[in-house]
């Protein structure tokens, strides 16, 4: 698929954007959105990146609209590139027993996902469970603070609850990124996840943090698990799938 062909280029550019204090992909003349507005304002992809043009983003979005129009989805994954890039063999082996759809699009922050949920016919689906992973790009593409990113994640959860009132939401913590345990990126993620954990209500929203499964004993990330220290490798996705499957089974019962 087109998404697979773009994977290697996307990984390298997303890592640079997420780890840099200023977005390297931004042209100097382009004014960046305020982190709060970017996190909370529903908007489609508005900029071209080397790894994905707006035309490509629109094609991915249109594919998801077609899936929503067709219906018949019991388990829905939504998010950014970490959701989009699931190793397909592992994904099918782990979750293929259910009627599953993947609505991840690389580079999306919470404002982008809000727009897709509001405009992409997502309300036509009636999933039993939704697996949500979103928020890391609010740091790299919105320059958001953890609190601003949290408000965006909270808005996405509220939107999912609105369109899927009967569904159970598996709310994933943002996975750790950055190679070393004391990197600035890790500090932001820890603070974001601390706030996101409060969205767990034990009835419709179930927060899970699988981050420790990706870490070495000293807290660093191995390239064997995350080749770019942001996106899981095939081994990383297997670790995540094994850790997540019991929770998914419980929500799908």
């Amino acid at each position: 698929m087109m998404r697979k062909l773009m994977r290697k280029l996307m990984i390298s550019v997303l890592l640079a954007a997420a780890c840099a204090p200023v977005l390297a992909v931004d042209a100097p003349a382009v004014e960046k959105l305020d982190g709060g507005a970017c996190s909370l304002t529903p908007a489609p992809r508005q900029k071209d990146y080397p790894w994905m043009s707006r035309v490509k983003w629109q094609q991915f979005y249109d594919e998801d609209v077609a899936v929503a129009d067709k219906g018949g989805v019991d388990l829905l994954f939504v998010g950014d590139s970490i959701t989009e890039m699931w190793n397909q063999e592992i994904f099918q082996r782990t979750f293929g027993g259910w009627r599953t759809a993947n609505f991840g699009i690389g580079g999306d922050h919470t404002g982008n996902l809000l727009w897709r949920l509001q405009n992409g016919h997502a309300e036509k689906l009636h999933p039993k469970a939704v697996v949500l992973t979103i928020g890391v790009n609010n740091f790299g593409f919105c320059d958001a603070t953890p609190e601003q990113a949290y408000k965006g994640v909270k808005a996405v959860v509220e939107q999912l609850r609105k369109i899927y009132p009967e569904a159970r939401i598996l709310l994933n913590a943002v996975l750790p990124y950055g190679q070393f345990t004391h990197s600035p990126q890790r500090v932001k993620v820890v603070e974001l996840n601390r706030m996101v954990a409060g969205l767990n209500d034990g009835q419709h929203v179930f927060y899970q943090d699988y981050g420790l499964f990706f870490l070495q004993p000293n807290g660093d990330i191995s390239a064997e698990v995350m080749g770019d220290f942001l996106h899981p490798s095939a081994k990383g996705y297997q670790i995540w799938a094994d850790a997540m499957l019991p929770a998914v089974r419980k929500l799908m019962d």
Side-chain angles (χ1 to χ4, degrees), residues 88-253:
Q88 287 306 298
E89 180 181 350
I90 295 170
F91 189 85
Q92 289 301 319
R93 185 170 62 243
T94 308
F95 307 113
W98 297 289
R99 297 187 299 174
T100 305
N102 185 330
F103 281 11
I105 297 184
D108 270 10
H109 51 69
T110 55
N112 298 144
L113 182 52
L114 281 170
W115 190 89
R116 290 199 282 124
L117 291 173
Q118 293 174 5
N119 296 276
H121 301 187
E123 72 281 354
K124 292 186 176 181
L125 296 175
H126 303 281
K128 189 169 185 179
V130 179
V131 178
L132 171 63
T133 310
I134 196 70
V136 70
N137 290 323
N138 290 56
F139 296 134
F141 293 98
C142 298
D143 198 26
T145 65
E147 184 176 6
Q148 290 169 336
Y150 161 71
K151 290 179 179 178
V153 175
K154 182 173 183 287
V156 171
V157 171
E158 290 172 347
Q159 182 66 28
L160 288 170
R161 290 285 298 119
K162 179 180 178 180
I163 61 178
Y164 305 132
E166 302 303 320
R168 297 171 174 178
I169 300 170
L170 178 58
L171 174 58
N172 276 304
V174 170
L175 296 180
Y177 78 104
Q179 182 176 4
F180 303 111
T181 184
H182 297 301
S183 66
Q185 300 96 319
R186 296 282 197 92
V187 174
K188 289 182 179 181
V189 167
V190 168
E191 180 62 17
L192 170 59
N193 287 338
R194 182 188 65 78
M195 292 183 279
V196 170
L199 298 175
N200 181 89
D201 65 12
Q203 294 182 319
H204 295 285
V205 181
F206 301 86
Y207 172 81
Q208 292 287 343
D209 188 347
Y210 300 108
L212 289 177
F213 290 93
F214 292 86
L215 303 180
Q216 299 180 88
N218 68 352
D220 293 347
I221 296 175
S222 167
E224 187 179 6
V225 173
M226 287 182 174
D228 62 354
F229 310 113
L230 175 63
H231 299 87
S233 62
K235 181 176 181 178
Y237 276 115
Q238 186 65 67
I239 290 170
W240 199 19
D242 291 342
M244 191 189 303
L245 183 56
V248 172
R249 280 177 174 158
K250 187 174 181 179
L251 297 184
M252 293 299 292
D253 283 344

Side-chain angles (χ1 to χ4, degrees), residues 59-70:
Q59 290 175 351
F60 296 163
Y61 165 76
D62 290 342
E63 291 175 6
D64 293 344
V65 170
V67 171
D69 287 341
K70 183 178 180 181

